[in-house]
Amino acid sequence: MTEPKNDARLIWSRYYSAFIPAPPGPAFVDRLKAASGAIGGIAITGLLCGLMLGNGITHPLLVAPMGASAVLLFAVPASPLAQPWSVFGGNVISAVVGIAIARAIPDPTVAAALAVGCAIAAMSLLRCLHPPGGAVALSAVLGASGAAPSFMFALVPVAVNTALLLVVAIIFHRIAGHSYPHVAPKAPSPHGTQDSAPPLRTPSERDVEEALEAYGDALDVDAADLHVVLHDAEIRAAERVHGDLTCGEIMSRDVIAIGEGQPVSEARQLLYTRRLLSLPVLDEAGRVRGLVGPLDLAKAGERVRDIASEPLLVTSATPVAQLLRPLTSGTRREAIVVDDDRRLRGLVTQTDLLAAIALHP
C-alpha cells in the first residue's frame, strides 16, 4: 500500500525550487563584456541625448526603462525580446499607448494599470514584445503629474534613447564578435543544396515550432535557436551513451592503402576496381600522409601525394562517440586509425559507425 502524497510538501518544494539560482550561463568574461557594453551604451546614449537636445553633458536626457532595455541588449542579445524591432517598436508603441491612456483617464492608478496592460496587448499584436515597454507605458502615466502628457514623449526621449542605444549595441556586438541582430546559426548542407546537414533534419524546425505552440506558456527563446540546441543535446546524449565503445573495436583492419609516390592512375584503378570510397596514403615508413577519394582524382597532379587531402586521424582508443559529429556532417566519410607513430592500424567508415550504433544501443 502506497502512502498518500503530501500535497503541502509537494507545493512547498515547488515554490522552494523556484528560488534556487538558475544554472550558470555565459562565462565570466562574457558577463564582464555585457556589463561593459551596458555601461558604454547608457553613457553614450545619455551623452549624445544631452548634446543633441541642448541639455549639456551634465544633464543626460534618459528615461529609466532604458536601463532594463540595456540588460536585454547587452546580457541576452540572442533573446527574441532583445531584437531591434522588439526594442524600438516595444518602447515607442508602449509610450504612445501610455500617453493616450493618461490623456483619456484622469485617475493615475486606473490609468497606470490600463497603460501597462494595453501596452502588452499592443506589443503582442505587433510582435514587438519588450518587457521594458511596460515600464515606458507606466512612466508616461506617472510622469504626467496631473497635466496632459504630450505625444512628443514617445519621440523625445523614448524613440531617441532607444535608437541610440540600439546603434551602440549593434556596434558593440560587432566588436565583441556576437551575432546581433541575432540570426540562429545554421549548419547548411556541405554540398551547397537547400537541405540541412543530416543531423539537423529530424526533428524539423516545424516540429520544434509546433512543440512550442503546444507547450502553452511563452518561452523567451527563438524556435531556430532551440532547434540547434536540441540537436546538440541529442548528439551529446549519443556521445555519452556510446562513450565506452572505441574505434579499435569496430574498425576495419585489412585496409587497402597506397604509397604517396604512386601515380594517380594507380589510385584511380584501385578505387574503381575495389569499389572503394577512400584510400589512405602512406609514406615509405608506413606512416599516414593523406587520403585519396573519388573527388580528389579531379585535382591536378601526377603523384598521389599531389592530390591527397588531409585525413581525420584517430587512435584505437578513441571513443566511437567522438566520430558522431564529423562523420554525420556530410564532409567526411571515414576516420583513419593510427598508432603513436602515425602508422596505419585501421579504418572506421560511416557504415562502421552506423552498425556500431545500431548494434550497441
Side-chain angles (χ1 to χ4, degrees):
M1 182 176 179
T2 59
E3 296 182 0
K5 291 183 178 179
N6 189 328
D7 292 337
R9 181 177 297 177
L10 179 62
I11 293 173
W12 166 249
S13 64
R14 185 174 301 167
Y15 279 100
Y16 173 76
S17 63
F19 289 93
I20 297 176
F28 182 70
V29 173
D30 291 324
R31 298 180 192 184
L32 288 180
K33 288 181 180 179
S36 62
I39 293 171
I42 294 297
I44 294 172
T45 300
L47 175 63
L48 291 180
C49 282
L51 293 175
M52 290 167 56
L53 301 173
N55 289 9
I57 297 176
T58 57
H59 295 84
L61 187 58
L62 288 167
V63 288
M66 291 303 111
S69 291
V71 173
L72 289 170
L73 281 170
F74 296 99
V76 283
S79 168
L81 307 178
Q83 301 316 297
W85 169 238
S86 294
V87 178
F88 188 81
N91 282 343
V92 175
I93 289 167
S94 296
V96 172
V97 170
I99 294 166
I101 290 179
R103 292 170 69 96
I105 301 175
D107 188 306
T109 302
V110 176
L114 284 175
V116 174
C118 292
I120 292 173
M123 288 188 290
S124 298
L125 288 173
L126 296 173
R127 301 180 67 179
C128 57
L129 191 63
H130 185 58
V136 172
L138 193 61
S139 298
V141 173
L142 299 182
S145 302
S150 170
F151 281 101
M152 278 297 294
F153 175 76
L155 177 61
V156 180
V158 174
V160 175
N161 279 182
T162 305
L164 289 174
L165 193 61
L166 275 171
V167 170
V168 175
I170 291 171
I171 295 173
F172 169 81
H173 288 301
R174 287 289 184 273
I175 296 173
H178 299 157
S179 170
Y180 188 83
H182 179 68
V183 177
K186 290 184 178 291
S189 168
H191 311 298
T193 63
Q194 295 300 314
D195 290 326
S196 301
L200 294 177
R201 294 178 187 170
T202 54
S204 67
E205 290 187 12
R206 182 57 191 163
D207 294 330
V208 175
E209 291 171 359
E210 290 178 354
L212 284 173
E213 291 174 4
Y215 186 75
D217 293 332
L219 297 177
D220 184 14
V221 62
D222 183 76
D225 285 322
L226 185 59
H227 187 233
V228 174
V229 172
L230 174 62
H231 284 289
D232 185 62
E234 289 177 335
I235 292 293
R236 291 176 185 274
E239 290 174 345
R240 175 175 49 80
V241 170
H242 300 285
D244 295 334
L245 195 63
T246 65
C247 291
E249 297 177 72
I250 70 168
M251 68 182 184
S252 301
R253 300 174 186 274
D254 184 15
V255 180
I256 300 173
I258 190 169
E260 64 177 353
Q262 297 300 312
V264 172
S265 59
E266 184 174 336
R268 181 181 291 107
Q269 183 179 6
L270 272 176
L271 286 170
Y272 286 107
T273 58
R274 303 300 292 268
R275 302 175 66 86
L276 302 174
L277 293 176
S278 58
L279 274 173
V281 178
L282 310 181
D283 62 14
E284 294 181 356
R287 293 184 291 265
V288 175
R289 293 304 183 195
L291 184 76
V292 170
L295 295 178
D296 296 312
L297 297 177
K299 299 177 181 177
E302 296 182 359
R303 299 295 173 180
V304 171
R305 68 169 69 90
D306 300 328
I307 66 170
S309 56
E310 188 67 25
L312 172 62
L313 300 180
V314 296
T315 68
S316 58
T318 300
V320 170
Q322 291 186 14
L323 300 183
L324 286 173
R325 294 177 191 269
L327 296 194
T328 59
S329 65
T331 57
R332 292 190 179 275
R333 298 189 182 95
E334 66 289 299
I336 300 178
V337 183
V338 296
D339 61 16
D340 293 340
D341 295 324
R342 202 170 169 138
R343 289 184 172 83
L344 178 65
R345 288 292 176 262
L347 189 71
V348 177
T349 66
Q350 291 173 323
T351 303
D352 298 324
L353 180 64
L354 177 62
I357 292 176
L359 298 175
H360 300 83

